[in-house]
Amino acid sequence: MFEEVKQEERFVEIEEGIERYWKEGEICRKSMEKGEEVYVFYEGPPTANGRPGIHHVSARAYKDLYPRYKTMRGYRVR
């Protein structure tokens, strides 16, 4: 069902190569300059009372996921 991962794969080196490509090409800066339409993700105030629950984890995931997705789709996300 899945391809077997080769033992000779060097994931750290692959990741470092990708990071170097992004830095040298200034990919993040270019993606932020490219966006013309603005996307805003409004966040409510944090709750100071009560114990943390699983819903806090899912909220944090969405707060990270959607702005990243919109940036990759060409929006300017502040």
Side-chain angles (χ1 to χ4, degrees):
M1 180 177 206
F2 296 105
E3 287 185 34
E4 186 175 334
V5 176
K6 299 175 186 171
Q7 293 296 323
E8 61 271 3
E9 293 289 349
R10 303 197 183 277
F11 296 108
V12 174
E13 291 174 12
I14 294 170
E15 185 69 22
E16 288 171 347
I18 293 169
E19 182 180 14
R20 192 170 34 258
Y21 170 78
W22 274 68
K23 283 183 179 179
E24 290 172 359
E26 297 181 328
I27 306 300
C28 189
R29 181 186 59 77
K30 289 177 184 176
S31 72
M32 288 190 282
E33 288 176 353
K34 179 183 172 188
E36 294 178 11
E37 191 173 350
V38 176
Y39 174 79
V40 180
F41 188 92
Y42 291 107
E43 179 182 356
T47 304
N49 55 354
R51 298 176 62 197
I54 192 66
H55 59 283
H56 292 106
V57 175
S58 59
R60 292 282 179 201
Y62 289 124
K63 290 176 193 175
D64 185 55
L65 177 70
Y66 282 101
R68 286 177 188 259
Y69 172 76
K70 287 294 191 176
T71 299
M72 290 188 287
R73 299 297 296 170
Y75 288 83
R76 180 177 295 248
V77 180
R78 296 185 177 139

